[in-house]
Amino acid sequence: MEQRTYNQYCATARTLDLVGERWTLLLIRELLTGPKRYSDLQAGLRGLGTGLLATRLKHLEREGLVHKVTLPPPARTPAYALTEAGQELGPAVLALARWGLKWAMGERRTTDTFHPGWAVLGLRACFDAEAAAGLRAVYEFRVGDEVFHARIDDGTIETLHGPARRPDATIEMSEEVLVGVTGQSRTLAAAIADGAASASGDTEALRRLNGLFRLPSPRSRTSD
Amino acid sequence: MEQRTYNQYCATARTLDLVGERWTLLLIRELLTGPKRYSDLQAGLRGLGTGLLATRLKHLEREGLVHKVTLPPPARTPAYALTEAGQELGPAVLALARWGLKWAMGERRTTDTFHPGWAVLGLRACFDAEAAAGLRAVYEFRVGDEVFHARIDDGTIETLHGPARRPDATIEMSEEVLVGVTGQSRTLAAAIADGAASASGDTEALRRLNGLFRLPSPRSRTSD
DNA sequence: CGGCATCCATTTTGATACTG
DNA sequence: CAGTATCAAAATGGATGCCG
């Protein structure tokens, strides 16, 4: 089973040799918000069969982008995490996401799955480092039965799956509302203002929240 | 013939629905340095059959990322160019390239093809906007029978195929030397210093050239 | 649950031959 | 040169079955 390659001495092609196959970058997207178990990965990637998932994981492991870990007690169950090399694909994945937010989102189709983690990663894609200068805050997001948190520290952001230890502020909303925010049919601020989302915690942290993310104005590709 | 999709309401997945198929991002990479004719695209993408190239181009055209143009006189031949939406994939492609420069380059294999344009795009990937503050210069690169130019204007860079109208400086080298620079077995400055590359033109422009690009230190993925 | 193996229907792709 | 047409080889997806 020879590995397929573009056979080009080019940085882009070499990267795509490693992560350009179908599902691979989405697998990495899943892991960018923290380690995940096999079944969680399957759940996040409907359509990816168990066999292909195993193949992809083994490939990424062999190539040093992913490694197998054992979740800390009380879980003690095996999971997959990104190595440093894998983590550093974050900027590339987020660049693809930024492009998609501007040029490809549109409405949610009835056949589209949706997971809150994708929107949380979208926050990271839209994070405005300059607007966060001097801010140090942890926000917890509760959506349906999923919890995420964003840790902001003076121009840097980290978005992880799971609860925060001591969040400065907590924002809670339904999955539907988050879908609306993702597609920019409403802003997070508007959702909070009209009660579709509830926010609590440190007033100053909440006040600064709105300015931290700069969403691109959606554009149509067909009319240029 | 239904188009395959991940069926996810996620910006990354939507982007990959459009440009995630094999060869597509490399096709866009080719066009990032300017319009190209059908046969030039084939030449840059060995292994991509003519049938698939036609399919990909038609798809990208239909999706509004590429449009067909007629090259200005005296060429007057049909070519393909990126639309605004297509151009804006530049940051994503360059992010993949930056990752590859750090984590995936290694040596050139005997089976690897190489085109100077890829290295020129690599320059764009490594461009350090802060280091270019206040600089306005056009550099022309001659490698083998290919010519490119980089136009730098106070923190922005544009790298295009073809000669510059009035370059401030010209750098010339063989393809082998450029391969060495790409793989970081030697720096551009060193190549100029030891005569492997020749540079001429405005002294000030040449003096600032070296600081403009920050290459990542190559790292191994297997030993972390 | 985690993970690999197997079988099979569909798609994608790669390589080449062919046409205006 | 710019593509179409054709066909063989891979890759994918989906279902299942197995084993610890």
Side-chain angles (χ1 to χ4, degrees):
Chain A
M1 173 135 92
E2 256 320 297
Q3 137 114 336
R4 190 147 66 160
T5 158
Y6 288 112
N7 284 313
Q8 297 183 352
Y9 194 57
C10 159
T12 309
R14 282 283 233 269
T15 302
L16 291 173
D17 276 344
L18 289 168
V19 299
E21 291 168 287
R22 189 163 166 81
W23 293 109
T24 304
L25 281 171
L26 295 185
L27 202 41
I28 286 164
R29 173 201 63 188
E30 292 297 308
L31 296 177
L32 280 172
T33 46
K36 296 260 184 310
R37 295 183 305 165
Y38 196 89
S39 55
D40 292 331
L41 291 171
Q42 277 197 294
L45 300 167
R46 181 171 312 195
L48 169 58
T50 171
L52 197 49
L53 174 55
T55 302
R56 290 283 184 273
L57 283 171
K58 228 178 312 191
H59 172 245
L60 290 174
E61 234 179 309
R62 187 158 34 82
E63 295 295 349
L65 303 190
V66 161
H67 65 275
K68 212 167 175 169
V69 298
T70 300
L71 255 33
R76 268 186 211 298
T77 157
Y80 295 88
L82 293 175
T83 62
E84 185 188 353
Q87 286 288 350
E88 291 198 8
L89 278 167
V93 172
L94 295 179
L96 290 167
R98 268 191 297 277
W99 189 89
L101 284 172
K102 178 162 178 181
W103 295 100
M105 283 308 281
E107 289 289 305
R108 179 182 183 184
R109 297 168 299 215
T110 55
T111 50
D112 280 344
T113 60
F114 176 81
H115 291 269
W118 304 340
V120 173
L121 206 60
L123 287 186
R124 208 174 131 192
C126 299
F127 180 64
D128 181 345
E130 302 198 0
L135 177 65
R136 186 187 177 93
V138 177
Y139 299 90
E140 187 171 274
F141 295 90
R142 302 171 170 277
V143 183
D145 51 358
E146 302 260 34
V147 185
F148 292 83
H149 67 274
R151 178 180 310 275
I152 286 155
D153 189 353
D154 191 25
T156 69
I157 183 171
E158 199 184 35
T159 55
L160 291 173
H161 204 165
R165 254 174 306 209
R166 267 188 54 248
D168 296 289
T170 301
I171 299 93
E172 186 160 4
M173 71 193 93
S174 70
E175 204 170 280
E176 270 85 42
V177 171
L178 185 57
V179 166
V181 171
T182 298
Q184 300 196 50
S185 51
R186 77 200 310 176
T187 67
L188 181 56
I192 292 174
D194 68 17
S198 67
S200 63
D202 181 71
T203 317
E204 175 65 5
L206 285 169
R207 195 182 58 72
R208 292 202 57 176
L209 179 61
N210 293 324
L212 292 178
F213 307 102
R214 186 157 38 180
L215 299 185
S217 308
R219 300 270 311 263
S220 159
R221 300 188 308 275
T222 48
S223 68
D224 64 6
Chain B
M1 170 134 92
E2 256 320 300
Q3 135 114 338
R4 189 146 68 161
T5 157
Y6 288 111
N7 284 314
Q8 297 183 351
Y9 194 58
C10 158
T12 308
R14 282 285 235 266
T15 302
L16 290 173
D17 276 344
L18 288 168
V19 300
E21 292 167 288
R22 190 164 166 79
W23 295 108
T24 304
L25 282 171
L26 295 185
L27 199 43
I28 286 165
R29 172 202 65 187
E30 292 296 308
L31 295 177
L32 280 173
T33 46
K36 296 259 184 311
R37 293 181 306 165
Y38 195 89
S39 54
D40 293 330
L41 291 171
Q42 277 196 293
L45 301 168
R46 182 172 311 196
L48 169 58
T50 170
L52 196 50
L53 173 55
T55 303
R56 290 284 183 274
L57 284 170
K58 230 176 308 194
H59 172 244
L60 290 174
E61 233 179 311
R62 189 159 32 83
E63 295 295 349
L65 303 189
V66 160
H67 65 277
K68 211 167 177 170
V69 299
T70 300
L71 254 34
R76 268 186 211 300
T77 156
Y80 295 89
L82 293 175
T83 62
E84 184 188 354
Q87 287 287 350
E88 290 198 8
L89 279 167
V93 172
L94 296 178
L96 291 166
R98 268 189 298 276
W99 189 90
L101 283 171
K102 179 163 180 181
W103 296 101
M105 283 309 280
E107 289 290 305
R108 178 183 182 184
R109 297 168 300 214
T110 55
T111 49
D112 280 344
T113 59
F114 175 81
H115 291 269
W118 303 340
V120 173
L121 207 59
L123 288 185
R124 208 175 131 191
C126 300
F127 180 65
D128 181 344
E130 301 198 0
L135 177 65
R136 186 189 176 92
V138 178
Y139 299 91
E140 186 171 275
F141 296 90
R142 300 169 172 277
V143 183
D145 51 357
E146 301 259 34
V147 186
F148 292 84
H149 66 275
R151 178 182 308 275
I152 285 154
D153 189 354
D154 191 24
T156 69
I157 183 171
E158 198 184 37
T159 55
L160 291 173
H161 204 167
R165 256 174 307 209
R166 266 188 55 247
D168 295 290
T170 301
I171 299 94
E172 186 160 4
M173 72 192 93
S174 70
E175 204 170 279
E176 271 85 43
V177 172
L178 184 56
V179 166
V181 171
T182 300
Q184 301 197 48
S185 51
R186 78 202 308 178
T187 66
L188 180 56
I192 292 173
D194 69 18
S198 66
S200 63
D202 181 69
T203 316
E204 173 65 4
L206 284 170
R207 195 182 59 71
R208 292 203 56 174
L209 178 62
N210 292 325
L212 292 179
F213 307 102
R214 187 157 36 180
L215 299 186
S217 308
R219 300 270 313 263
S220 159
R221 301 190 308 276
T222 48
S223 66
D224 64 5

